[in-house]
Every structure is written in C-alpha cells, then in structure tokens.
Amino acid sequence: MKIFRADYVYPINADPIKNGYVAIDDQSKIISVSDQKPPDAEHIPVEKLSGIITPGFINAHCHVELSHLHNKVPKGEGLVQFIKNLQGLRNADPKEIEAAAIKADHDMYENGIVAVGDISNSNVTVPIKAQSKIYYHTFVETFSFTPERADATFEAALQLMEQFKPQACSVTPHAPYSVSKELFRLIKKYCDTHPNKNLISIHNQECEDENKFYRYKLGSFNDLYAYFGIDISYFKPQARNSLQSVVPLLTSKQDILMVHNTCTNLKDIYFIKRFDRRINWCFCPGANLYIEKMLPKVELFIDQGFNLTIGTDSLASNEKLCILSEMGILQENFPTLGLDRLLQWATINGATFLGIDKDKGSLEPGKTPGLNLITGLDGQKITAETKVRRLV
Ligand SMILES: [Zn+2]
C-alpha cells in the first residue's frame, strides 16, 4: 500500500478534501480517499505533498500519428490553408512518423494523461498503442466527399479497424465537409446494427466557412475542393449550418463527440437539445488558437446538461499534448470557469464518453484512475507556474 497526502484531494465525484489522503494498493488501485489516514495503516509512511491530487486526465481528442508535424505547419492561416499545408507534409519518412508518435505517447503519459480518444487514418500507431501504458480508443476516420467513393472508403476503414482490434476502436466520419451523405449513411447503418459498440467522434464547425459552405455553398471550401480536384457539382446548399445538416445523418444508438465547435452558435445548441442524438462536446482550445486564432463560445455550452470534455488535438496544431495546458487556456479566456468544473471536463467527462468511467476519471475505491499532482496553482487559478506531475 502507498499513501499520499496533499493540501487538497479532488475526488471529482465528491467535494474536494482539505488535507486529504489517498491510499492505493500495489496495482495503483484506490483503497480509500478521505481526510484521514486509513485506520489499518498506522505503520505505513505517508508521502506528504504540496498541491492538489486529481485523477489522471482524459484526452478526448488527439491524432498521435500526426506528431511528426510538430512546428511544421504555419500558425493562424485558417482551417482550409491548414488542411492544404497538412496534405503537403503527409509523406514523411515512416521511421520519423513512428519515432514522433512514440515520443507523443510518452509525453502524454508524463503529462498525467491516462486515456486518449485518438483519430487514425493509418495503422502506424497500432503497435505503439498496443504497448502503451495509456488506454486508447482509436477512431478510424473516413473521409470522402465524392458519393461514388463511399462504399470503397467505408470498406477500407473497416479493414483498418480490424488491424486495431482487440484494442478499443470504432469507425467514424471526419467532418461535415469531408464526408458525403452516402458515406454518412453507411456509418449510421453500421452504428445502428452495432448498438453501443461504435462510438463516434467528428470534427465540427472548426471555422465559419464550414457553415458558409453548408448554408450557401460559398466560401473557401470551394477552393479546397478545387485544389484537391473534387467535383462537388452535386452538392446543394442546405440553408442551415453544417451541424444541423449532418446530425440527422448520425446514429441515435451511440454516443457522439463533437470536436472543436469553434463556430457553433446558440441556435445550433437548441437544435441539438431538441434532437434525439447522444451528443457530447470536446474543446481543443490550443488547436483553435493555433489554426483559427479564435475560440468556441464556451459559455453557451455550460449548464445545458451536456457532457463537456477536453482534447489536445494533434502536435500539427498544438505546442504540446497536455490537458492541463488546455485547461489553462480555457480559464485564461473564460475566467468564470472554476477549477472544479475544468477538472470534471478533464477527467470523468472524457472517461464517461469513452465508456471507461467504471475504472477512470474519479478517485473512488476500486478504480485505477491514475493520480496527478498539480502544483503552482494560485488558489483556484491555473497560472504559468502550474505544473502536473504523475504520481502513479
Ligand atoms: Zn482533430
């Protein structure tokens, strides 16, 4: 047994405990969380720590396979240019791709991340995830905006998914602007016939032009299709935002994670509340600032009964893969966000979405959630001095 004591312990499922104790067994499973040392443990020394103890973090959205693109894509050029830049950089040396992915996995572990919802377009991360100390759910991502290619794209994704098994994995659409209705329908049918077995994670409203394209078929996405030589003559303006256009094409039988939501408005949120889909939301503020120099209207999502989570996105669009850093950006830009709330988003909410909340996301006896020590807080405020250290 090991016992830690800190200024505060944040169990997440209960109020913070001042001068709290956390006892764990040799497998890092929680034995007790309390304001006292466990009664049968007088002889066991206590590791006294200054700072707060939290459960391990859940990174709800990442692309480990893009880690080699760290510092390669210019900042602030907007999503369409970002995608063009990315495409030009994809053909790197496989050894370099692999080495960067291994380092990213290691860094996330050191940053106190215990589980990741990770997007994959290739099999490069299969062995890395199999050996990792982090839990991964892989979202095998499909994209094809050409209706005729829907079947082939979907079949290729199912085959790639086979390579990830028996790891947790599912097949998912990339984004409203990169998946045809036909492909959406194939994924929906698969979800509906495999209930609760194919979690969905989709990039949503990352820039205003995504809405502009869906509403009016105007804006920079037209240039993007032309750039890639994709014929979109079949596409009709939908007279509504992208989110409202694609949600009816998604399943009601699985949880769905909407990622980014940078240009999601109040009307979209009311639409979602009326629609029978199991929508969760993920914020990746570091990547939003990197690509679009803007942030989602986070206040709109709060206290609406939604499950809200945090992701890092990839190293192509972020300085580091660190959930604490994302929490810091959110708090800096939305000062009303308290530490309690941000910690919920960073732990139990992500675990709930990934379906691993029985074991991760909160400090409760019987769980193995990982333990993080957060130091350098100014009361409830995350500052430049705030750091995370993994205890177990
Ligand atoms: Zn992403």
Side-chain angles (χ1 to χ4, degrees):
M1 190 196 292
K2 235 180 181 176
I3 304 173
F4 298 101
R5 183 189 167 227
D7 300 329
Y8 279 92
V9 170
Y10 277 69
I12 307 297
N13 64 313
D15 288 339
I17 303 165
K18 195 172 179 180
N19 297 321
Y21 292 82
V22 182
I24 55 169
D25 73 10
D26 295 343
Q27 273 75 51
S28 303
K29 188 187 278 186
I30 305 240
I31 297 169
S32 69
V33 181
S34 157
D35 60 354
Q36 286 167 29
K37 207 174 161 182
D40 53 343
E42 284 82 12
H43 59 290
I44 295 170
V46 174
E47 192 171 332
K48 288 186 179 146
L49 302 159
S50 66
I52 71 166
I53 292 177
T54 73
F57 294 140
I58 314 293
N59 182 359
H61 181 75
C62 189
H63 306 242
V64 172
E65 70 185 22
L66 299 181
S67 300
H68 63 291
L69 300 177
H70 195 203
N71 292 327
K72 297 242 167 78
V73 188
K75 287 182 187 173
E77 296 191 338
L79 182 63
V80 166
Q81 189 55 43
F82 180 83
I83 294 168
K84 288 182 186 171
N85 291 338
L86 212 60
Q87 209 55 33
L89 290 163
R90 277 226 168 207
N91 296 324
D93 174 6
K95 283 266 171 290
E96 188 196 330
I97 296 176
E98 192 191 357
I102 290 169
K103 182 177 186 304
D105 174 68
H106 174 81
D107 290 353
M108 283 200 280
Y109 182 82
E110 291 299 320
N111 290 336
I113 292 168
V114 295
V116 180
D118 191 61
I119 306 286
S120 291
N121 301 110
S122 79
N123 62 4
V124 52
T125 58
V126 171
I128 298 168
K129 288 168 178 171
Q131 285 166 31
S132 176
K133 288 181 271 189
I134 295 175
Y135 171 93
Y136 281 94
H137 183 108
T138 296
F139 295 94
V140 173
E141 189 176 70
T142 59
F143 44 102
S144 167
F145 207 55
T146 307
E148 294 75 27
R149 291 202 45 224
D151 281 305
T153 304
F154 182 68
E155 281 309 315
L158 287 184
Q159 277 179 27
L160 177 54
M161 190 162 71
E162 283 304 316
Q163 299 187 51
F164 279 96
K165 288 178 180 173
Q167 299 171 33
C169 51
S170 48
V171 57
T172 204
H174 168 253
Y177 58 80
S178 57
V179 174
S180 66
K181 253 187 192 174
E182 287 71 10
L183 183 51
F184 268 118
R185 285 200 187 103
L186 290 171
I187 297 168
K188 179 173 188 298
K189 192 174 159 203
Y190 185 83
C191 289
D192 291 351
T193 50
H194 297 75
N196 298 316
K197 285 206 166 66
N198 195 78
L199 280 178
I200 295 290
S201 174
I202 176 169
H203 296 82
N204 174 55
Q205 293 171 301
E206 206 171 335
C207 66
E208 199 47 62
D209 271 17
E210 181 179 318
N211 287 327
K212 209 171 174 183
F213 179 75
Y214 261 83
R215 293 188 85 86
Y216 315 114
K217 202 179 177 181
L218 292 174
S220 59
F221 277 95
N222 288 292
D223 310 332
L224 187 69
Y225 301 124
Y227 178 82
F228 286 120
I230 300 167
D231 176 13
I232 53 152
S233 54
Y234 74 90
F235 184 85
K236 304 263 180 308
Q238 306 287 305
R240 47 172 68 186
N241 278 353
S242 60
L243 178 70
Q244 299 186 35
S245 306
V246 302
V247 157
L249 303 172
L250 297 173
T251 180
S252 60
K253 303 271 193 296
Q254 327 273 344
D255 272 281
I256 297 163
L257 191 67
M258 291 289 169
V259 180
H260 290 305
N261 318 306
T262 326
C263 298
T264 304
N265 64 29
L266 198 57
K267 270 192 174 174
D268 293 323
I269 288 171
Y270 287 151
F271 177 88
I272 292 295
K273 289 185 83 166
R274 288 194 310 271
F275 218 84
D276 111 43
R277 294 292 185 276
R278 288 151 47 181
I279 303 292
N280 305 249
W281 308 90
C282 177
F283 300 122
C284 305
N288 300 149
L289 292 178
Y290 191 111
I291 298 173
E292 289 289 330
K293 289 197 245 171
M294 63 184 287
L295 290 170
K297 298 172 194 73
V298 171
E299 298 100 331
L300 298 182
F301 298 80
I302 294 173
D303 297 328
Q304 300 268 17
F306 291 128
N307 189 45
L308 306 178
T309 69
I310 300 176
T312 59
D313 213 346
S314 76
L315 282 174
S317 60
N318 211 337
E319 304 295 339
K320 49 182 168 173
L321 305 180
C322 176
I323 291 296
L324 179 67
S325 303
E326 303 297 319
M327 292 166 64
I329 297 172
L330 286 170
Q331 201 178 52
E332 191 185 334
N333 289 278
F334 305 97
T336 57
L337 288 178
L339 188 63
D340 295 49
R341 196 189 286 271
L342 286 169
L343 280 172
Q344 282 209 350
W345 297 5
T347 59
I348 192 68
N349 290 7
T352 300
F353 169 67
L354 292 176
I356 53 171
D357 50 312
K358 280 198 172 64
D359 191 47
K360 311 278 184 221
S362 65
L363 306 182
E364 293 178 76
K367 284 191 170 189
T368 313
L371 296 180
N372 288 342
L373 180 72
I374 315 287
T375 56
L377 287 161
D378 176 11
Q380 294 260 309
K381 283 262 168 284
I382 299 164
T383 71
E385 276 70 54
T386 307
K387 300 222 163 15
V388 56
R389 174 161 76 86
R390 172 185 273 272
L391 296 173
V392 293

